[in-house]
Amino acid sequence: MHDPAVLRSKHNARFHAEPAVFVAPGRVNLIGEHTDYAEGFVMPVAIDFATLAAISPRADGKIVLYSENFEEERTFEAAALPATASKHWSDYPIGVAVLLAGEGQKIPGFSLSIWGDVPLGSGLSSSAALEVVTGLAITSLTGVTYPGPVLARLCQRVENEFVGANCGIMDQFISANGKENHALLLDCRDLSFKLAPIPADIAIVIANTMVKHSIAGGDYPTRRRESEAACAIINGHRGGVPFLRDATLEDLEKWGNEMEPKSYLRAKHVITEDLRTVAAEKALENGDLAEVGRLMAEAHASYSKDFEGSCPEADAMVEMAQDLPGLIGARLTGGGFGGCTVNLVQRDHAKAFAETLGSRYFAKFGIQPQIHICHASGGAHRLG
Ligand code: GLA
């Protein structure tokens, strides 16, 4: 649990004002990778790592942002918000203010202190947590609050339109709408979702390869373009396929020979991943953990081989988990090319699992991975 008292008193000391404090979690995705922007299915859980924001109004029309993590302050004018990003951590919170203003909200001056423990650049959605917590904080001052799904869409637009990262809705959605002890099967087309219970005796073990992940870099948008090119070919033939969500494996077999080989493989991953994700939710609901594990293994193989979204370290981390006692399923999670693996593990075995996995990884790569035993936490809310 995150205690708001420390951030509250630091905010008070810095800005001489009593703040309201909010929290928004990071996430891991159990299954459903690179399906969100294809209007398909994802199944993330919110995790114990989170970002906190303390906010208080100001009378001078300034927006003052302070990051406890970076020990750095940035000042803006509420009446003259920036038009473009500056490749700085402040892009995320100020981008939220910019998008809210674009929605017709009158943004007042405020002081915002930020602190978080979501590891940065690890594929655990630190930026989504920062956007969502800022959205909650600012709208608490404007008085025009949004339901979770609407706030999530606005925060996704911050990434797409202000920061310049072409991501889907998954990360912001789970941060805003997560539910304790549950994964969320999200239909990224209409944002309807179903809660899938995570049994109490299952731990979510997150193993960080320590290979930096970024969605702003070249690989994520390249994979997205490649898969969308395949979709356009299918759509050109039979129509009604604006997104890969609407395509079938039969479509792919029929017109695959017209696609670049890479596009074919990316689309194959996306189409099969949607099927696996829906099946994994059903398996969780039925308590069929062996099936969940099998689907996770298949998903990793597809992500690594067909989508080429993995890296040698993540493949090894998944491989090294296979014979460890208590493992239900393991795969690379998030945007890819580094970051973390997610492992569902019988809780009694979780500690030993983490230790052995860590020492195996260190023995192979000479890098000490951070391994966290988490549970599915709740979504963003006010702390006090
Ligand atoms: C990143 C993006 C998400 C999603 C995943 C891949 O986390 O932010 O929108 O596309 O990658 O599943």
Side-chain angles (χ1 to χ4, degrees):
M1 268 312 286
H2 292 92
D3 180 1
V6 180
L7 189 62
R8 175 187 299 286
S9 78
K10 287 190 170 177
H11 184 93
N12 226 317
R14 174 170 294 276
F15 296 114
H16 311 292
E18 189 59 36
V21 185
F22 298 84
V23 62
R27 66 99 188 87
V28 279
N29 188 18
L30 297 187
I31 191 163
E33 228 61 85
H34 288 261
T35 46
D36 60 352
Y37 52 76
E39 296 205 345
F41 295 89
V42 293
M43 198 164 68
V45 296
I47 54 175
D48 304 304
F49 295 109
T51 302
L52 271 61
I55 194 164
S56 57
R58 297 176 68 98
D60 60 3
K62 292 191 187 313
I63 293 177
V64 183
L65 309 175
Y66 183 75
S67 163
E68 292 286 346
N69 296 72
F70 294 115
E71 299 183 340
E72 197 184 19
E73 189 172 288
R74 279 282 155 117
T75 301
F76 300 86
E77 296 293 331
L81 293 168
T84 53
S86 56
K87 300 212 180 307
H88 187 259
W89 61 261
S90 59
D91 289 345
Y92 300 99
I94 206 64
V96 174
V98 169
L99 268 282
L100 284 171
E103 290 296 290
Q105 291 223 24
K106 185 159 172 3
I107 307 298
F110 60 83
S111 306
L112 187 81
S113 303
I114 302 158
W115 172 87
D117 61 2
V118 188
L120 304 183
S122 301
L124 298 178
S125 299
S126 56
S127 50
L130 177 50
E131 289 149 9
V132 170
V133 80
T134 305
L136 278 188
I138 298 180
T139 54
S140 78
L141 291 188
T142 65
V144 188
T145 56
Y146 294 143
V150 178
L151 178 63
R153 188 62 93 189
L154 182 114
C155 292
Q156 180 202 7
R157 288 178 52 214
V158 171
E159 293 272 355
N160 297 168
E161 298 170 25
F162 190 78
V163 175
N166 207 12
C167 65
I169 185 80
M170 169 168 68
D171 308 345
Q172 292 78 10
F173 197 93
I174 186 67
S175 182
N177 302 289
K179 179 135 185 326
E180 184 150 37
N181 299 326
H182 289 77
L184 200 144
L185 175 72
L186 174 65
D187 180 337
C188 299
R189 169 150 286 166
D190 61 8
L191 301 190
S192 60
F193 61 87
K194 203 164 168 189
L195 294 171
I198 309 272
D201 58 347
I202 304 276
I204 298 168
V205 181
I206 300 172
N208 193 339
T209 62
M210 314 306 279
V211 178
K212 281 281 173 201
H213 152 88
S214 149
I215 54 171
D219 290 326
Y220 182 99
T222 305
R223 292 298 183 281
R224 183 171 176 164
R225 269 196 306 277
E226 288 165 350
S227 67
E228 288 172 347
C231 187
I233 288 176
I234 298 171
N235 196 41
H237 280 286
R238 74 163 174 92
V241 190
F243 295 94
L244 278 176
R245 153 71 176 274
D246 305 298
T248 63
L249 282 173
E250 292 74 52
D251 292 330
L252 200 60
E253 290 322 310
K254 221 163 164 183
W255 296 300
N257 57 349
E258 295 173 32
M259 298 168 189
E260 293 284 336
K262 280 186 178 166
S263 280
Y264 169 88
L265 289 172
R266 307 314 181 230
K268 182 173 166 228
H269 165 76
V270 175
I271 294 169
T272 55
E273 186 81 347
D274 270 334
L275 299 172
R276 283 187 291 269
T277 304
V278 172
E281 189 281 328
K282 285 224 165 59
L284 258 186
E285 217 176 290
N286 297 337
D288 187 350
L289 294 176
E291 175 69 355
V292 174
R294 195 190 63 74
L295 291 162
M296 287 175 78
E298 244 182 64
H300 183 78
S302 168
Y303 199 14
S304 179
K305 296 204 174 66
D306 291 344
F307 204 74
E308 291 185 272
S310 187
C311 61
E313 292 85 349
D315 285 345
M317 190 76 97
V318 167
E319 186 54 41
M320 288 165 181
Q322 294 307 318
D323 65 340
L324 293 181
L327 178 77
I328 293 158
R331 53 175 291 277
L332 171 62
T333 186
F337 315 104
C340 297
T341 67
V342 57
N343 305 265
L344 292 183
V345 181
Q346 302 287 354
R347 194 165 282 283
D348 290 352
H349 290 280
K351 205 162 166 284
F353 175 92
E355 278 166 15
T356 312
L357 186 61
S359 53
R360 283 182 177 180
Y361 190 81
F362 182 78
K364 183 165 170 77
F365 294 107
I367 302 165
Q368 197 58 59
Q370 285 165 6
I371 303 190
H372 314 282
I373 301 174
C374 288
H375 90 300
S377 83
H381 60 278
R382 184 170 174 164
L383 280 177

